[in-house]
Amino acid sequence: RTVEPLEYYRRFLKENCRPDGRELGEFRTTTVNIGKCLCSITTADGSALVKLGNTTVICGVKAELAAPAADSANKGYIVPNVELPSLCAERFRSGPPGEEAQAASQFIADVIENSQMIVKEDLCIANGKLAWVLYCDIICLDYDGNLLDASVFALLAALKNVQLPSVTINEETGLSEVNLKQKNPLIIRKHPVATSFAVFDDTLLIVDPTAEEEDLATGTVTIVTDEEGRLCSVHKPGGSPLTGAKLQDCITRAITRHKEVKKLIDKVIKSITPK
Amino acid sequence: GVLERSREQLLRQTCEAVVLGVLHPRTAITLLLVPWGPLTPPQLLSCCLNAACMALLDAGLPLAALFCGVTCALQPDGTILLDPTARQEQEARAILTFAIASSERKVLMANTKGSCSVEEMHQCMAAAQRAADTIFQFYRDSVRRRYSKC
């Protein structure tokens, strides 16, 4: 396995399975913890911890107030940031964010924008004066492949958990008054779910790659779908060329995965909402 | 910034897939792309792809296949526009950028902005694959012109 990793993997792939016992289209066990009781971040407005096999990603959402931009006076901001600290894997050094972290941050920002899961107009409190800024910090605690899927899932779960205090602007003083007692949940319009695939030897597609599989793969594809079966993102950063038919296989699997994830999230949200 | 890094990653992995690096061990290939003139991000991406491929051709590096970048805009009424202008891009509800390889017109790179249905994505991909023929013909003509002068 250490001397000829590719040959080792090929032998398994020929039998249509993988060294950890999974089928080619099978995901690793997914667990999600949402909220202040189960998740450790007590200072965040919303938080979630997602484990996809060994890959552990935590997302904390903090809401702050700011003045909206001049050209979009009725829009708030959502600022995602993905961090890959050196504690999650040997290959990540401490220091400024590497290419992978930055590309992942851009990907998450694109997914939020493309899927319109949060409409920026919903974050506006007073036109031109006050709007919410949601800082979404996604930190990987253990990197074992498939960062993008786990990050998108963690973001979705954390945002579902966010409770925004109601804000009113005092007419006379012009200052904002935050009412922490009255909280409203964030309006989430769409629920995008990402499904990543690794391409082996230009032909074989496997779902949810581990870090070892990602290193051996010749390419990766990530498909993000929402609940209506629409594609929010097709992210294929280079790698071996794929035909349209292969992409269609990926999309079909992604749509199935979306249903599984949505069911899981709904179950967890229901279990933590106070009756 | 973060956008540039993400673009660099897309371009780098696309080039890595076609350049036969095995023939040149211990070599570094640096591609420097400088955008010229007003370009929107999706236009920039496909322009960079085309420029990168032609530069690799000009350098004489062994490539497994040629690739070209095509931008598709999906209008609100469902029509597909290839190589959209900045205003058409703004009105579009989705913009898809593909890098199509010359071998069997397979998809090397895909990047989407906005959401679309699965059928629409396939239609855009088919349109991009057809457009790739025109772009590859342009490559051939340019290279022919370059080598016929000197």
Side-chain angles (χ1 to χ4, degrees):
Chain A
R1 191 175 188 169
T2 28
V3 176
E4 278 288 335
L6 202 51
E7 268 312 308
Y8 178 78
Y9 260 87
R10 280 207 192 110
R11 255 182 248 156
F12 278 91
L13 291 173
K14 255 204 301 248
E15 309 292 327
N16 266 356
C17 73
R18 286 135 95 172
D20 53 0
R22 288 190 283 160
E23 302 260 318
L24 296 185
E26 201 182 316
F27 267 81
R28 290 173 283 183
T29 335
T30 318
T31 49
V32 54
N33 285 339
I34 308 184
K36 296 201 166 77
C37 338
L38 296 167
C39 193
S40 36
I41 311 180
T42 45
T43 48
D45 294 301
S47 58
L49 173 74
V50 169
K51 273 174 86 75
L52 200 60
N54 281 335
T55 303
T56 313
V57 171
I58 195 163
C59 175
V61 180
K62 275 216 73 78
E64 289 179 11
L65 294 168
D71 52 352
S72 40
N74 61 343
K75 290 192 182 163
Y77 305 92
I78 309 175
V79 183
N81 184 33
V82 177
E83 271 174 37
L84 293 167
S86 38
L87 68 88
C88 67
E90 287 178 335
R91 58 167 121 167
F92 301 118
R93 298 288 142 94
S94 50
E99 192 195 86
E100 188 158 356
Q102 297 209 33
S105 302
Q106 182 60 41
F107 175 74
I108 300 282
D110 286 340
V111 167
I112 299 176
E113 180 70 37
N114 291 350
S115 64
Q116 292 283 293
M117 66 191 285
I118 300 221
V119 174
K120 294 206 181 118
E121 281 82 352
D122 287 342
L123 295 173
C124 181
I125 304 166
N127 234 355
K129 291 202 216 109
L130 208 59
W132 284 112
V133 186
L134 292 175
Y135 289 108
C136 313
D137 292 310
I138 302 169
I139 303 174
C140 181
L141 298 173
D142 195 350
Y143 184 84
D144 194 20
N146 208 355
L147 174 71
L148 297 176
D149 283 11
S151 307
V152 171
F153 194 175
L155 179 73
L156 180 62
L159 285 172
K160 285 206 85 120
N161 180 232
V162 167
Q163 302 270 17
L164 291 177
S166 57
V167 182
T168 45
I169 300 207
N170 193 323
E171 291 292 327
E172 299 134 7
T173 59
L175 294 172
S176 55
E177 285 166 9
V178 179
N179 186 352
L180 287 169
K181 299 265 173 26
Q182 201 188 18
K183 288 201 173 186
N184 311 309
L186 204 51
I187 309 169
I188 301 189
R189 288 163 194 257
K190 295 276 164 66
H191 301 83
V193 170
T195 315
S196 293
F197 304 82
V199 188
F200 264 91
D201 287 338
D202 298 351
T203 43
L204 220 49
L205 283 166
I206 57 173
V207 133
D208 190 17
T210 62
E212 211 184 336
E213 288 163 359
E214 272 183 3
D215 286 335
L216 295 172
T218 47
T220 53
V221 186
T222 307
I223 312 263
V224 183
T225 49
D226 68 13
E227 53 264 38
E228 293 162 19
R230 288 178 71 81
L231 294 170
C232 304
S233 177
V234 174
H235 183 77
K236 184 185 182 309
S240 29
L242 285 181
T243 56
K246 280 253 147 50
L247 267 176
Q248 181 54 47
D249 290 338
C250 298
I251 295 173
T252 339
R253 184 70 186 85
I255 295 182
T256 329
R257 172 68 178 163
H258 186 282
K259 298 200 186 78
E260 295 165 20
V261 168
K262 185 90 188 1
K263 224 165 50 179
L264 181 61
I265 274 204
D266 288 339
K267 200 169 74 173
V268 177
I269 299 270
K270 214 159 69 170
S271 67
I272 61 161
T273 27
K275 308 261 183 300
Chain B
V2 180
L3 186 60
E4 280 78 24
R5 286 278 162 279
S6 137
R7 294 273 175 270
E8 280 171 16
Q9 190 206 39
L10 290 173
L11 278 165
R12 188 172 49 85
Q13 294 194 303
T14 315
C15 294
E16 276 177 2
V18 287
V19 173
L20 294 169
V22 186
L23 295 171
H24 293 280
R26 296 181 290 280
T27 323
I29 302 172
T30 314
L31 275 169
L32 185 64
L33 294 150
V34 180
W36 205 302
L39 283 172
T40 60
Q43 287 173 342
L44 180 63
L45 185 56
S46 44
C47 253
C48 283
L49 282 165
N50 290 324
C53 186
M54 298 200 84
L56 289 169
L57 261 181
D58 196 35
L61 285 168
L63 300 175
L66 296 178
F67 59 90
C68 68
V70 184
T71 316
C72 293
L74 198 60
Q75 300 288 77
D77 60 357
T79 43
I80 299 173
L81 273 177
L82 289 178
D83 195 21
T85 62
R87 229 199 50 184
Q88 286 164 338
E89 275 184 16
Q90 262 184 340
E91 297 165 349
R93 62 183 153 91
I95 303 176
L96 298 92
T97 312
F98 295 103
I100 311 279
S102 59
S103 53
E104 296 168 33
R105 304 287 179 271
K106 289 200 202 169
V107 176
L108 261 183
M109 193 277 299
N111 191 35
T112 54
K113 189 172 142 171
S115 71
C116 62
S117 74
V118 183
E119 296 80 42
E120 286 164 349
M121 193 218 75
H122 278 291
Q123 283 168 358
C124 287
M125 201 161 65
Q129 283 168 329
R130 282 195 297 272
D133 292 333
T134 328
I135 303 184
F136 288 132
Q137 189 55 42
F138 174 74
Y139 284 4
R140 262 181 235 122
D141 293 340
S142 314
V143 175
R144 193 174 298 140
R145 245 180 306 150
R146 179 177 177 354
Y147 287 106
S148 64
K149 268 192 287 198
C150 49

